[in-house]
Amino acid sequence: MSTMQFQFNTDSSVMGTTAVAERIEAQVRHRLARFAERLTRLEVHVSDVNGRKAGSDDKHCTIEARPRS
């Protein structure tokens, strides 16, 4: 059985560095490990709700999990 793919997406106002992507991937894979054999792909989408305004309470994260058929 193939391994679950992971994709990390950000909008232009979020720092989507490799280090950030790796840290998020590790955390999400750890939390969803019990479902890994039932999933083909995880997609994480992070955006900044109010763009240019400062603050850490305005981030939005959506996780899409694609099931095996």
Side-chain angles (χ1 to χ4, degrees):
M1 191 171 289
S2 63
T3 184
M4 180 175 55
Q5 295 178 349
F6 184 88
Q7 183 173 348
F8 179 70
N9 303 297
T10 64
D11 68 11
S12 61
S13 60
V14 175
M15 279 184 38
T17 65
T18 301
V20 169
E22 288 172 353
R23 190 175 78 231
I24 290 174
E25 179 177 357
Q27 290 177 3
V28 170
R29 283 185 183 275
H30 174 73
R31 299 285 182 190
L32 298 179
R34 65 182 172 192
F35 303 109
E37 290 192 18
R38 292 190 262 167
L39 300 172
T40 60
R41 181 180 182 95
L42 288 173
E43 291 187 31
V44 175
H45 304 272
V46 179
S47 60
D48 190 334
V49 175
N50 58 4
R52 298 179 195 171
K53 293 183 182 178
S56 60
D57 294 336
D58 57 351
K59 304 300 185 272
H60 179 80
C61 178
T62 304
I63 299 175
E64 294 181 42
R66 309 273 173 95
R68 290 195 191 281
S69 43

Short mmCIF file of all heavy atoms in Angstrom, two decimals:
data_model
loop_
_atom_site.label_atom_id
_atom_site.label_comp_id
_atom_site.label_asym_id
_atom_site.label_seq_id
_atom_site.Cartn_x
_atom_site.Cartn_y
_atom_site.Cartn_z
N MET A 1 0.85 -1.17 0.00
CA MET A 1 0.00 0.00 0.00
C MET A 1 0.90 1.24 0.00
O MET A 1 1.88 1.30 0.73
CB MET A 1 -0.91 -0.03 1.23
CG MET A 1 -1.99 1.00 1.18
SD MET A 1 -3.22 0.81 2.49
CE MET A 1 -4.04 -0.66 1.99
N SER A 2 0.56 2.24 -0.79
CA SER A 2 1.40 3.44 -0.90
C SER A 2 1.21 4.35 0.31
O SER A 2 0.22 4.29 1.01
CB SER A 2 1.06 4.20 -2.19
OG SER A 2 -0.27 4.63 -2.15
N THR A 3 2.19 5.19 0.52
CA THR A 3 2.16 6.10 1.65
C THR A 3 1.24 7.29 1.39
O THR A 3 1.00 7.66 0.24
CB THR A 3 3.58 6.59 1.98
OG1 THR A 3 3.53 7.40 3.14
CG2 THR A 3 4.18 7.38 0.85
N MET A 4 0.74 7.86 2.45
CA MET A 4 -0.16 9.00 2.36
C MET A 4 0.64 10.23 1.92
O MET A 4 1.66 10.56 2.49
CB MET A 4 -0.80 9.23 3.72
CG MET A 4 -1.73 10.36 3.81
SD MET A 4 -2.55 10.48 5.43
CE MET A 4 -1.17 10.54 6.56
N GLN A 5 0.15 10.93 0.90
CA GLN A 5 0.79 12.15 0.42
C GLN A 5 0.38 13.32 1.30
O GLN A 5 -0.69 13.31 1.91
CB GLN A 5 0.38 12.44 -1.01
CG GLN A 5 0.84 11.43 -2.01
CD GLN A 5 0.34 11.78 -3.41
OE1 GLN A 5 -0.49 12.65 -3.60
NE2 GLN A 5 0.86 11.08 -4.39
N PHE A 6 1.24 14.33 1.34
CA PHE A 6 0.95 15.53 2.13
C PHE A 6 1.25 16.75 1.29
O PHE A 6 2.29 16.83 0.65
CB PHE A 6 1.82 15.57 3.40
CG PHE A 6 1.50 16.72 4.31
CD1 PHE A 6 0.52 16.61 5.27
CD2 PHE A 6 2.17 17.92 4.18
CE1 PHE A 6 0.21 17.67 6.10
CE2 PHE A 6 1.87 18.99 5.00
CZ PHE A 6 0.90 18.87 5.97
N GLN A 7 0.32 17.70 1.28
CA GLN A 7 0.52 18.95 0.55
C GLN A 7 0.20 20.11 1.47
O GLN A 7 -0.84 20.12 2.14
CB GLN A 7 -0.37 19.01 -0.68
CG GLN A 7 -0.14 20.25 -1.51
CD GLN A 7 -0.92 20.20 -2.82
OE1 GLN A 7 -1.45 19.19 -3.22
NE2 GLN A 7 -0.98 21.33 -3.48
N PHE A 8 1.09 21.11 1.51
CA PHE A 8 0.93 22.29 2.35
C PHE A 8 0.81 23.52 1.46
O PHE A 8 1.67 23.76 0.62
CB PHE A 8 2.14 22.42 3.28
CG PHE A 8 2.10 23.61 4.19
CD1 PHE A 8 1.19 23.68 5.23
CD2 PHE A 8 3.00 24.66 4.01
CE1 PHE A 8 1.16 24.79 6.07
CE2 PHE A 8 2.97 25.75 4.86
CZ PHE A 8 2.06 25.82 5.89
N ASN A 9 -0.29 24.27 1.62
CA ASN A 9 -0.55 25.45 0.81
C ASN A 9 -0.77 26.66 1.71
O ASN A 9 -1.42 26.55 2.75
CB ASN A 9 -1.82 25.26 -0.03
CG ASN A 9 -1.74 24.04 -0.90
OD1 ASN A 9 -0.91 23.95 -1.78
ND2 ASN A 9 -2.61 23.08 -0.65
N THR A 10 -0.24 27.82 1.28
CA THR A 10 -0.49 29.06 2.00
C THR A 10 -0.89 30.14 1.01
O THR A 10 -0.60 30.03 -0.18
CB THR A 10 0.76 29.55 2.76
OG1 THR A 10 1.78 29.88 1.81
CG2 THR A 10 1.27 28.51 3.73
N ASP A 11 -1.52 31.19 1.54
CA ASP A 11 -1.76 32.34 0.68
C ASP A 11 -0.53 33.24 0.74
O ASP A 11 0.42 32.97 1.48
CB ASP A 11 -3.06 33.06 1.03
CG ASP A 11 -3.05 33.76 2.37
OD1 ASP A 11 -1.97 33.88 2.99
OD2 ASP A 11 -4.12 34.21 2.81
N SER A 12 -0.53 34.32 -0.01
CA SER A 12 0.66 35.16 -0.13
C SER A 12 1.00 35.91 1.15
O SER A 12 2.11 36.43 1.29
CB SER A 12 0.48 36.16 -1.27
OG SER A 12 -0.63 36.99 -1.01
N SER A 13 0.09 35.98 2.11
CA SER A 13 0.36 36.72 3.35
C SER A 13 0.84 35.83 4.50
O SER A 13 1.03 36.31 5.60
CB SER A 13 -0.89 37.49 3.77
OG SER A 13 -1.96 36.61 4.00
N VAL A 14 1.04 34.55 4.23
CA VAL A 14 1.51 33.62 5.26
C VAL A 14 2.89 33.11 4.87
O VAL A 14 3.11 32.72 3.72
CB VAL A 14 0.54 32.42 5.41
CG1 VAL A 14 1.08 31.39 6.40
CG2 VAL A 14 -0.83 32.88 5.84
N MET A 15 3.82 33.13 5.83
CA MET A 15 5.17 32.62 5.56
C MET A 15 5.13 31.10 5.48
O MET A 15 5.07 30.43 6.51
CB MET A 15 6.13 33.06 6.67
CG MET A 15 6.62 34.46 6.50
SD MET A 15 7.86 34.96 7.73
CE MET A 15 8.85 33.52 7.96
N GLY A 16 5.15 30.57 4.29
CA GLY A 16 5.10 29.13 4.09
C GLY A 16 6.48 28.57 3.84
O GLY A 16 6.72 27.93 2.82
N THR A 17 7.41 28.77 4.77
CA THR A 17 8.77 28.29 4.60
C THR A 17 8.81 26.77 4.68
O THR A 17 7.87 26.13 5.17
CB THR A 17 9.70 28.87 5.68
OG1 THR A 17 9.28 28.38 6.96
CG2 THR A 17 9.69 30.39 5.67
N THR A 18 9.90 26.21 4.24
CA THR A 18 10.08 24.76 4.30
C THR A 18 10.03 24.28 5.74
O THR A 18 9.42 23.24 6.04
CB THR A 18 11.42 24.36 3.65
OG1 THR A 18 11.41 24.81 2.29
CG2 THR A 18 11.63 22.86 3.68
N ALA A 19 10.65 25.02 6.65
CA ALA A 19 10.65 24.64 8.07
C ALA A 19 9.24 24.62 8.64
O ALA A 19 8.86 23.69 9.37
CB ALA A 19 11.53 25.59 8.87
N VAL A 20 8.42 25.61 8.29
CA VAL A 20 7.04 25.67 8.76
C VAL A 20 6.26 24.49 8.19
O VAL A 20 5.53 23.80 8.90
CB VAL A 20 6.37 27.01 8.38
CG1 VAL A 20 4.87 26.97 8.62
CG2 VAL A 20 7.00 28.16 9.14
N ALA A 21 6.40 24.25 6.91
CA ALA A 21 5.70 23.14 6.25
C ALA A 21 6.08 21.80 6.87
O ALA A 21 5.21 20.95 7.11
CB ALA A 21 6.00 23.13 4.75
N GLU A 22 7.36 21.60 7.15
CA GLU A 22 7.82 20.34 7.75
C GLU A 22 7.26 20.16 9.15
O GLU A 22 6.86 19.06 9.53
CB GLU A 22 9.34 20.28 7.76
CG GLU A 22 9.93 20.09 6.38
CD GLU A 22 11.45 20.21 6.34
OE1 GLU A 22 12.07 20.59 7.38
OE2 GLU A 22 12.03 19.93 5.28
N ARG A 23 7.25 21.24 9.94
CA ARG A 23 6.72 21.16 11.30
C ARG A 23 5.23 20.84 11.29
O ARG A 23 4.75 19.98 12.03
CB ARG A 23 6.98 22.47 12.04
CG ARG A 23 6.69 22.36 13.52
CD ARG A 23 7.07 23.61 14.28
NE ARG A 23 6.03 24.61 14.05
CZ ARG A 23 6.25 25.86 13.66
NH1 ARG A 23 7.46 26.29 13.44
NH2 ARG A 23 5.25 26.70 13.49
N ILE A 24 4.47 21.50 10.41
CA ILE A 24 3.04 21.24 10.32
C ILE A 24 2.78 19.83 9.82
O ILE A 24 1.91 19.12 10.33
CB ILE A 24 2.35 22.31 9.45
CG1 ILE A 24 2.35 23.63 10.21
CG2 ILE A 24 0.94 21.89 9.07
CD1 ILE A 24 1.84 24.80 9.44
N GLU A 25 3.54 19.40 8.82
CA GLU A 25 3.35 18.04 8.30
C GLU A 25 3.59 17.01 9.40
O GLU A 25 2.81 16.06 9.55
CB GLU A 25 4.31 17.77 7.13
CG GLU A 25 4.16 16.36 6.60
CD GLU A 25 5.02 16.06 5.39
OE1 GLU A 25 5.72 16.96 4.89
OE2 GLU A 25 5.00 14.89 4.94
N ALA A 26 4.65 17.17 10.18
CA ALA A 26 4.95 16.22 11.25
C ALA A 26 3.82 16.18 12.27
O ALA A 26 3.40 15.09 12.71
CB ALA A 26 6.27 16.59 11.92
N GLN A 27 3.30 17.33 12.65
CA GLN A 27 2.21 17.38 13.63
C GLN A 27 0.93 16.76 13.10
O GLN A 27 0.27 15.99 13.80
CB GLN A 27 1.96 18.83 14.05
CG GLN A 27 3.07 19.40 14.89
CD GLN A 27 2.83 20.87 15.23
OE1 GLN A 27 1.81 21.46 14.90
NE2 GLN A 27 3.79 21.46 15.91
N VAL A 28 0.58 17.08 11.85
CA VAL A 28 -0.65 16.54 11.27
C VAL A 28 -0.53 15.03 11.07
O VAL A 28 -1.46 14.28 11.40
CB VAL A 28 -1.00 17.26 9.95
CG1 VAL A 28 -2.14 16.56 9.22
CG2 VAL A 28 -1.35 18.71 10.21
N ARG A 29 0.59 14.57 10.56
CA ARG A 29 0.78 13.12 10.38
C ARG A 29 0.70 12.39 11.73
O ARG A 29 0.11 11.31 11.82
CB ARG A 29 2.12 12.82 9.71
CG ARG A 29 2.12 13.06 8.22
CD ARG A 29 3.46 12.62 7.61
NE ARG A 29 3.53 12.88 6.21
CZ ARG A 29 3.06 12.07 5.26
NH1 ARG A 29 2.46 10.96 5.58
NH2 ARG A 29 3.20 12.39 3.98
N HIS A 30 1.30 12.99 12.76
CA HIS A 30 1.25 12.36 14.09
C HIS A 30 -0.19 12.26 14.58
O HIS A 30 -0.61 11.20 15.06
CB HIS A 30 2.11 13.17 15.07
CG HIS A 30 2.02 12.68 16.47
ND1 HIS A 30 2.60 11.50 16.89
CD2 HIS A 30 1.39 13.20 17.55
CE1 HIS A 30 2.33 11.32 18.16
NE2 HIS A 30 1.60 12.34 18.59
N ARG A 31 -0.93 13.36 14.48
CA ARG A 31 -2.31 13.38 14.98
C ARG A 31 -3.25 12.46 14.20
O ARG A 31 -4.21 11.92 14.76
CB ARG A 31 -2.88 14.79 14.94
CG ARG A 31 -2.13 15.78 15.77
CD ARG A 31 -2.43 15.59 17.21
NE ARG A 31 -1.72 16.60 17.98
CZ ARG A 31 -1.62 16.60 19.27
NH1 ARG A 31 -2.19 15.65 19.96
NH2 ARG A 31 -0.96 17.54 19.88
N LEU A 32 -2.99 12.30 12.90
CA LEU A 32 -3.88 11.49 12.06
C LEU A 32 -3.30 10.12 11.71
O LEU A 32 -3.81 9.43 10.84
CB LEU A 32 -4.22 12.26 10.78
CG LEU A 32 -4.96 13.58 11.00
CD1 LEU A 32 -5.23 14.27 9.67
CD2 LEU A 32 -6.27 13.36 11.75
N ALA A 33 -2.25 9.71 12.41
CA ALA A 33 -1.57 8.44 12.11
C ALA A 33 -2.52 7.25 12.13
O ALA A 33 -2.39 6.34 11.31
CB ALA A 33 -0.42 8.22 13.09
N ARG A 34 -3.48 7.25 13.01
CA ARG A 34 -4.40 6.10 13.10
C ARG A 34 -5.27 5.95 11.85
O ARG A 34 -5.86 4.90 11.63
CB ARG A 34 -5.26 6.22 14.35
CG ARG A 34 -6.17 7.40 14.32
CD ARG A 34 -6.96 7.52 15.59
NE ARG A 34 -7.68 8.78 15.58
CZ ARG A 34 -8.27 9.28 16.62
NH1 ARG A 34 -8.24 8.65 17.76
NH2 ARG A 34 -8.90 10.43 16.52
N PHE A 35 -5.37 7.01 11.04
CA PHE A 35 -6.16 6.96 9.81
C PHE A 35 -5.31 6.80 8.56
O PHE A 35 -5.85 6.72 7.46
CB PHE A 35 -6.99 8.25 9.65
CG PHE A 35 -7.89 8.53 10.82
CD1 PHE A 35 -7.62 9.58 11.68
CD2 PHE A 35 -9.01 7.75 11.05
CE1 PHE A 35 -8.45 9.85 12.76
CE2 PHE A 35 -9.84 8.00 12.13
CZ PHE A 35 -9.56 9.05 12.99
N ALA A 36 -3.99 6.76 8.70
CA ALA A 36 -3.07 6.79 7.57
C ALA A 36 -3.36 5.72 6.51
O ALA A 36 -3.28 6.01 5.32
CB ALA A 36 -1.63 6.68 8.05
N GLU A 37 -3.70 4.53 6.92
CA GLU A 37 -3.95 3.46 5.95
C GLU A 37 -5.26 3.66 5.19
O GLU A 37 -5.47 3.04 4.16
CB GLU A 37 -3.93 2.10 6.63
CG GLU A 37 -2.53 1.72 7.08
CD GLU A 37 -2.44 0.27 7.50
OE1 GLU A 37 -3.33 -0.52 7.13
OE2 GLU A 37 -1.46 -0.04 8.18
N ARG A 38 -6.12 4.52 5.69
CA ARG A 38 -7.40 4.78 5.03
C ARG A 38 -7.39 6.04 4.19
O ARG A 38 -8.38 6.38 3.55
CB ARG A 38 -8.51 4.87 6.08
CG ARG A 38 -8.77 3.54 6.75
CD ARG A 38 -10.00 3.61 7.59
NE ARG A 38 -9.61 3.86 8.98
CZ ARG A 38 -10.44 4.22 9.92
NH1 ARG A 38 -11.71 4.41 9.65
NH2 ARG A 38 -10.02 4.40 11.15
N LEU A 39 -6.24 6.76 4.17
CA LEU A 39 -6.16 8.02 3.45
C LEU A 39 -5.08 7.97 2.37
O LEU A 39 -4.04 7.34 2.55
CB LEU A 39 -5.84 9.17 4.41
CG LEU A 39 -6.85 9.40 5.53
CD1 LEU A 39 -6.32 10.43 6.50
CD2 LEU A 39 -8.19 9.82 4.96
N THR A 40 -5.33 8.64 1.26
CA THR A 40 -4.33 8.73 0.19
C THR A 40 -3.59 10.05 0.23
O THR A 40 -2.44 10.14 -0.19
CB THR A 40 -4.97 8.60 -1.20
OG1 THR A 40 -5.92 9.65 -1.38
CG2 THR A 40 -5.63 7.25 -1.38
N ARG A 41 -4.25 11.08 0.75
CA ARG A 41 -3.66 12.42 0.67
C ARG A 41 -4.24 13.32 1.75
O ARG A 41 -5.43 13.26 2.06
CB ARG A 41 -3.97 12.99 -0.71
CG ARG A 41 -3.42 14.35 -1.00
CD ARG A 41 -3.86 14.73 -2.43
NE ARG A 41 -3.34 15.99 -2.82
CZ ARG A 41 -2.22 16.16 -3.51
NH1 ARG A 41 -1.53 15.10 -3.90
NH2 ARG A 41 -1.80 17.35 -3.84
N LEU A 42 -3.38 14.17 2.29
CA LEU A 42 -3.80 15.24 3.19
C LEU A 42 -3.36 16.56 2.58
O LEU A 42 -2.24 16.68 2.11
CB LEU A 42 -3.12 15.11 4.56
CG LEU A 42 -3.58 13.99 5.46
CD1 LEU A 42 -2.69 13.91 6.68
CD2 LEU A 42 -5.02 14.20 5.88
N GLU A 43 -4.26 17.52 2.57
CA GLU A 43 -3.92 18.86 2.09
C GLU A 43 -4.23 19.84 3.21
O GLU A 43 -5.33 19.85 3.75
CB GLU A 43 -4.73 19.23 0.85
CG GLU A 43 -4.34 18.44 -0.36
CD GLU A 43 -5.03 18.94 -1.61
OE1 GLU A 43 -5.31 20.15 -1.71
OE2 GLU A 43 -5.29 18.11 -2.49
N VAL A 44 -3.24 20.66 3.55
CA VAL A 44 -3.41 21.69 4.57
C VAL A 44 -3.34 23.04 3.88
O VAL A 44 -2.39 23.32 3.15
CB VAL A 44 -2.32 21.57 5.67
CG1 VAL A 44 -2.42 22.71 6.65
CG2 VAL A 44 -2.44 20.23 6.38
N HIS A 45 -4.35 23.86 4.11
CA HIS A 45 -4.43 25.20 3.52
C HIS A 45 -4.43 26.21 4.66
O HIS A 45 -5.32 26.17 5.52
CB HIS A 45 -5.72 25.37 2.71
CG HIS A 45 -5.89 24.33 1.65
ND1 HIS A 45 -5.38 24.48 0.38
CD2 HIS A 45 -6.50 23.12 1.67
CE1 HIS A 45 -5.68 23.42 -0.34
NE2 HIS A 45 -6.36 22.58 0.42
N VAL A 46 -3.44 27.11 4.68
CA VAL A 46 -3.35 28.13 5.71
C VAL A 46 -3.45 29.50 5.06
O VAL A 46 -2.77 29.78 4.07
CB VAL A 46 -2.02 28.02 6.51
CG1 VAL A 46 -1.93 29.10 7.56
CG2 VAL A 46 -1.90 26.64 7.15
N SER A 47 -4.30 30.34 5.62
CA SER A 47 -4.46 31.70 5.10
C SER A 47 -4.55 32.69 6.25
O SER A 47 -4.81 32.32 7.39
CB SER A 47 -5.69 31.80 4.21
OG SER A 47 -6.85 31.48 4.94
N ASP A 48 -4.33 33.95 5.93
CA ASP A 48 -4.42 35.03 6.89
C ASP A 48 -5.71 35.77 6.61
O ASP A 48 -5.87 36.38 5.55
CB ASP A 48 -3.21 35.95 6.74
CG ASP A 48 -3.09 36.96 7.86
OD1 ASP A 48 -4.12 37.28 8.46
OD2 ASP A 48 -1.96 37.41 8.12
N VAL A 49 -6.64 35.72 7.54
CA VAL A 49 -7.99 36.24 7.34
C VAL A 49 -8.00 37.74 7.03
O VAL A 49 -8.71 38.18 6.14
CB VAL A 49 -8.88 35.94 8.57
CG1 VAL A 49 -10.25 36.57 8.42
CG2 VAL A 49 -9.01 34.44 8.76
N ASN A 50 -7.20 38.52 7.76
CA ASN A 50 -7.24 39.96 7.50
C ASN A 50 -5.93 40.48 6.92
O ASN A 50 -5.56 41.63 7.12
CB ASN A 50 -7.67 40.75 8.73
CG ASN A 50 -6.78 40.53 9.92
OD1 ASN A 50 -5.78 39.84 9.83
ND2 ASN A 50 -7.14 41.09 11.05
N GLY A 51 -5.24 39.64 6.21
CA GLY A 51 -4.09 40.01 5.40
C GLY A 51 -3.02 40.84 6.06
O GLY A 51 -2.24 40.34 6.84
N ARG A 52 -2.98 42.10 5.75
CA ARG A 52 -1.86 42.96 6.15
C ARG A 52 -1.87 43.38 7.61
O ARG A 52 -0.87 43.86 8.11
CB ARG A 52 -1.84 44.20 5.27
CG ARG A 52 -1.62 43.85 3.83
CD ARG A 52 -1.63 45.06 2.97
NE ARG A 52 -1.77 44.60 1.60
CZ ARG A 52 -1.98 45.37 0.58
NH1 ARG A 52 -2.07 46.66 0.77
NH2 ARG A 52 -2.11 44.88 -0.61
N LYS A 53 -2.96 43.24 8.29
CA LYS A 53 -3.01 43.61 9.71
C LYS A 53 -2.21 42.60 10.52
O LYS A 53 -2.24 41.41 10.25
CB LYS A 53 -4.46 43.64 10.21
CG LYS A 53 -5.29 44.75 9.60
CD LYS A 53 -6.67 44.74 10.21
CE LYS A 53 -7.54 45.81 9.58
NZ LYS A 53 -8.89 45.78 10.15
N ALA A 54 -1.53 43.10 11.54
CA ALA A 54 -0.70 42.22 12.38
C ALA A 54 -1.57 41.43 13.35
O ALA A 54 -2.69 41.79 13.64
CB ALA A 54 0.31 43.07 13.15
N GLY A 55 -0.99 40.35 13.85
CA GLY A 55 -1.68 39.54 14.85
C GLY A 55 -1.64 38.07 14.50
O GLY A 55 -1.56 37.69 13.34
N SER A 56 -1.68 37.25 15.54
CA SER A 56 -1.62 35.81 15.31
C SER A 56 -2.99 35.14 15.43
O SER A 56 -3.10 33.95 15.20
CB SER A 56 -0.66 35.17 16.32
OG SER A 56 -1.13 35.42 17.64
N ASP A 57 -4.00 35.89 15.81
CA ASP A 57 -5.33 35.31 15.99
C ASP A 57 -6.19 35.36 14.74
O ASP A 57 -7.40 35.17 14.81
CB ASP A 57 -6.07 36.04 17.13
CG ASP A 57 -5.40 35.81 18.47
OD1 ASP A 57 -4.71 34.79 18.61
OD2 ASP A 57 -5.58 36.65 19.36
N ASP A 58 -5.58 35.63 13.60
CA ASP A 58 -6.35 35.78 12.38
C ASP A 58 -6.00 34.75 11.32
O ASP A 58 -6.29 34.93 10.15
CB ASP A 58 -6.19 37.19 11.82
CG ASP A 58 -4.73 37.54 11.54
OD1 ASP A 58 -3.85 36.78 11.94
OD2 ASP A 58 -4.48 38.59 10.93
N LYS A 59 -5.38 33.66 11.72
CA LYS A 59 -5.01 32.60 10.78
C LYS A 59 -6.16 31.62 10.64
O LYS A 59 -6.89 31.34 11.58
CB LYS A 59 -3.76 31.86 11.25
CG LYS A 59 -2.55 32.74 11.49
CD LYS A 59 -2.12 33.49 10.26
CE LYS A 59 -0.85 34.26 10.49
NZ LYS A 59 -1.03 35.61 11.00
N HIS A 60 -6.31 31.09 9.44
CA HIS A 60 -7.37 30.12 9.14
C HIS A 60 -6.71 28.88 8.53
O HIS A 60 -5.90 29.00 7.62
CB HIS A 60 -8.37 30.73 8.16
CG HIS A 60 -9.47 29.82 7.78
ND1 HIS A 60 -10.57 29.61 8.59
CD2 HIS A 60 -9.65 29.03 6.70
CE1 HIS A 60 -11.37 28.75 8.00
NE2 HIS A 60 -10.83 28.37 6.86
N CYS A 61 -7.04 27.72 9.05
CA CYS A 61 -6.45 26.48 8.55
C CYS A 61 -7.56 25.50 8.20
O CYS A 61 -8.48 25.28 8.98
CB CYS A 61 -5.54 25.87 9.62
SG CYS A 61 -4.81 24.30 9.10
N THR A 62 -7.47 24.94 7.00
CA THR A 62 -8.39 23.92 6.55
C THR A 62 -7.59 22.68 6.19
O THR A 62 -6.55 22.78 5.53
CB THR A 62 -9.17 24.39 5.29
OG1 THR A 62 -9.83 25.61 5.60
CG2 THR A 62 -10.17 23.35 4.85
N ILE A 63 -8.06 21.52 6.64
CA ILE A 63 -7.40 20.26 6.30
C ILE A 63 -8.37 19.42 5.48
O ILE A 63 -9.50 19.19 5.90
CB ILE A 63 -7.00 19.48 7.58
CG1 ILE A 63 -6.02 20.32 8.40
CG2 ILE A 63 -6.39 18.14 7.21
CD1 ILE A 63 -5.65 19.69 9.73
N GLU A 64 -7.90 19.00 4.32
CA GLU A 64 -8.68 18.09 3.47
C GLU A 64 -8.04 16.71 3.56
O GLU A 64 -6.84 16.58 3.37
CB GLU A 64 -8.64 18.55 2.02
CG GLU A 64 -9.33 19.87 1.76
CD GLU A 64 -9.27 20.24 0.29
OE1 GLU A 64 -9.46 19.35 -0.57
OE2 GLU A 64 -9.02 21.41 0.02
N ALA A 65 -8.84 15.72 3.83
CA ALA A 65 -8.36 14.34 3.88
C ALA A 65 -9.05 13.55 2.79
O ALA A 65 -10.29 13.52 2.73
CB ALA A 65 -8.66 13.74 5.26
N ARG A 66 -8.28 12.94 1.92
CA ARG A 66 -8.83 12.17 0.79
C ARG A 66 -8.80 10.68 1.13
O ARG A 66 -7.74 10.11 1.35
CB ARG A 66 -8.02 12.42 -0.47
CG ARG A 66 -7.80 13.88 -0.79
CD ARG A 66 -8.95 14.44 -1.62
NE ARG A 66 -8.83 15.87 -1.80
CZ ARG A 66 -8.28 16.48 -2.83
NH1 ARG A 66 -7.76 15.78 -3.81
NH2 ARG A 66 -8.27 17.80 -2.89
N PRO A 67 -9.97 10.04 1.17
CA PRO A 67 -10.03 8.62 1.53
C PRO A 67 -9.62 7.71 0.36
O PRO A 67 -9.74 8.08 -0.80
CB PRO A 67 -11.50 8.41 1.87
CG PRO A 67 -12.23 9.43 1.07
CD PRO A 67 -11.30 10.61 0.98
N ARG A 68 -9.13 6.54 0.72
CA ARG A 68 -8.86 5.50 -0.30
C ARG A 68 -10.19 5.00 -0.83
O ARG A 68 -11.17 4.95 -0.12
CB ARG A 68 -8.11 4.33 0.32
CG ARG A 68 -6.71 4.67 0.68
CD ARG A 68 -5.89 3.41 0.95
NE ARG A 68 -4.63 3.82 1.54
CZ ARG A 68 -3.61 4.32 0.86
NH1 ARG A 68 -3.69 4.45 -0.46
NH2 ARG A 68 -2.49 4.67 1.47
N SER A 69 -10.19 4.58 -2.07
CA SER A 69 -11.44 4.05 -2.64
C SER A 69 -11.45 2.55 -2.59
O SER A 69 -10.55 1.89 -2.28
CB SER A 69 -11.62 4.53 -4.06
OG SER A 69 -10.45 4.46 -4.81
#
